[in-house]
Amino acid sequence: MADLRLKTGAPQATRHLAAAGAVLVARQASAGAHAGFVPAWPGAQEPNFHATLASVWIWARHQRLSRIEKFAAARRAAWTFLAGAAPRFIPGVIDDTAGDEAPFDCAMLLWASTAELALGGLPAEHQTIAARAARVLSAHLGALDDLAGREYRDPGFLALSILEYARAVEDRGLLASAQRFVERAFGMGTPGAFAGEPEPAGGLFDFSSTTATRILAVMAAEGSTPFVGAWLRERIAATVPRAFTPRRLDENCWNACVAWALGRAYAVSTDPAFLDGYTAIVDEIDRRDADRDGAIARDAAGRGAEVMPTFYYALAADGLVAPGTV
């Protein structure tokens, strides 16, 4: 059963990414001052940096799995927008004067850049932008004392983006810095229950499960070793949610983030607890994706399919792609 599920992971993810990617292409601005950007939700007019980067990841990851350049033109247009907008969204330092979304914008730039690197590389201009984002985000994590950040300041996702990018560019210093942060911030202990994560009373977003991204960051820091598999089976499996978890905000997105971590954990450990939890959650999200186009709203009260829940839904679909198969 385990082998069959992992063997079919890549083809299933490819189909999902193709459908979601097509939805995002249809929304991409094709003309005007901000041509190439992807609105964060239907009808949004404000140019959105991280929503466009999330779209780039979906398009690039589809090409990596399928070997088909289905979304190449959309990616080129997106990068034209991103290169021009980078000075506005990637600060020289993440401090009190930087926008609330700055850490996540840096992380998403690394995430999309890593996906592009898997296809063969980045143009020099884009490499420079990614290197700057990596330096800024690494410095931010190195000085970070408040580890309770959520959504745009989720420390697990920020660290994970650096770890994946550092390996892609073979930057040992950047990788070691991110590994030190993960050791300091998370260690190898057992995280709290997924359902026990706080739900902020204020704010507009809560899209990232910090328990899930903490687990993913530890896995990325340690690498796919037998030790990590043992840690997942002995320390994490008992905490796995067995069903979709209701949340006050962004419950589709938050649960997709959980499923992403469970899929990755199963691919490394093959412990059925992770697959059971993954399947229960993804089945519910699939049910809510009534038109089966891979694009979903943030929750039941959402204003139509949005980019960030669609991005995390795609990550969940990609979660069962066995390491080393692509």
Side-chain angles (χ1 to χ4, degrees):
M1 179 62 178
D3 288 343
L4 175 62
R5 203 52 202 266
L6 292 177
K7 285 179 179 178
T8 60
Q12 291 176 356
T14 302
R15 290 191 290 272
H16 183 105
L17 292 163
V23 172
L24 299 176
V25 165
R27 294 186 183 176
Q28 186 178 32
S30 59
H34 303 297
F37 100 95
V38 179
W41 56 82
Q45 299 299 315
E46 182 69 19
N48 190 294
F49 199 67
H50 56 259
T52 303
L53 289 162
S55 302
V56 167
W57 181 85
I58 288 173
W59 296 330
R61 183 60 176 167
H62 173 268
Q63 181 171 326
R64 176 64 173 168
L65 294 181
S66 69
R67 305 294 194 267
I68 298 172
E69 294 187 359
K70 182 178 178 68
F71 303 117
R75 288 176 19 242
R76 286 193 295 269
W79 278 110
T80 298
F81 160 72
L82 293 165
R88 172 183 171 188
F89 290 98
I90 304 299
V93 61
I94 297 174
D95 57 16
D96 292 340
T97 66
D100 289 342
E101 299 176 7
F104 193 68
D105 284 334
C106 289
M108 286 301 300
L109 181 59
L110 299 183
W111 202 252
S113 297
T114 301
E116 291 284 3
L117 287 164
L119 299 179
L122 283 170
E125 179 185 13
H126 302 164
Q127 290 178 21
T128 300
I129 298 169
R132 177 186 177 190
R135 289 194 302 271
V136 169
L137 193 56
S138 181
H140 171 66
L141 289 185
L144 187 64
D145 293 322
D146 181 4
L147 304 176
R150 301 191 61 78
E151 23 96 3
Y152 297 115
R153 294 179 178 270
D154 172 4
F157 186 83
L158 303 183
L160 178 63
S161 68
I162 296 177
L163 289 162
E164 299 288 358
Y165 173 79
R167 283 201 171 93
V169 297
E170 299 181 346
D171 187 328
R172 294 183 180 180
L174 184 64
L175 179 63
S177 176
Q179 288 171 325
R180 287 194 297 271
F181 172 79
V182 170
E183 183 179 1
R184 171 173 69 87
F186 307 133
M188 300 296 290
T190 303
F194 286 83
E197 280 187 30
E199 297 192 62
L204 299 174
F205 303 100
D206 193 31
F207 51 80
S208 181
S209 165
T210 52
T211 306
T213 57
R214 167 182 173 169
I215 293 168
L216 287 161
V218 171
M219 291 170 62
E222 297 293 330
S224 298
T225 65
F227 174 73
V228 172
W231 174 71
L232 290 168
R233 289 187 293 271
E234 295 169 10
R235 297 289 184 89
I236 309 301
T239 72
V240 170
R242 302 294 179 170
F244 186 97
T245 303
R247 300 281 294 182
R248 188 178 68 84
L249 287 174
D250 293 335
E251 67 176 7
N252 291 344
C253 196
W254 186 91
N255 277 276
C257 185
V258 172
W260 172 33
L262 299 185
R264 282 280 178 261
Y266 176 69
V268 171
S269 71
T270 65
D271 188 311
F274 294 109
L275 182 59
D276 291 346
Y278 174 90
T279 301
I281 294 169
V282 171
D283 282 353
E284 174 59 21
I285 299 174
D286 286 346
R287 187 188 68 78
R288 296 179 178 211
D289 179 21
D291 53 7
R292 291 294 192 269
D293 64 357
I296 55 171
R298 58 194 293 198
D299 49 36
R303 46 191 162 182
E306 300 185 30
V307 173
M308 292 317 298
T310 298
F311 169 65
Y312 279 96
Y313 189 17
L315 287 168
D318 192 64
L320 285 183
V321 178
T325 60
V326 294

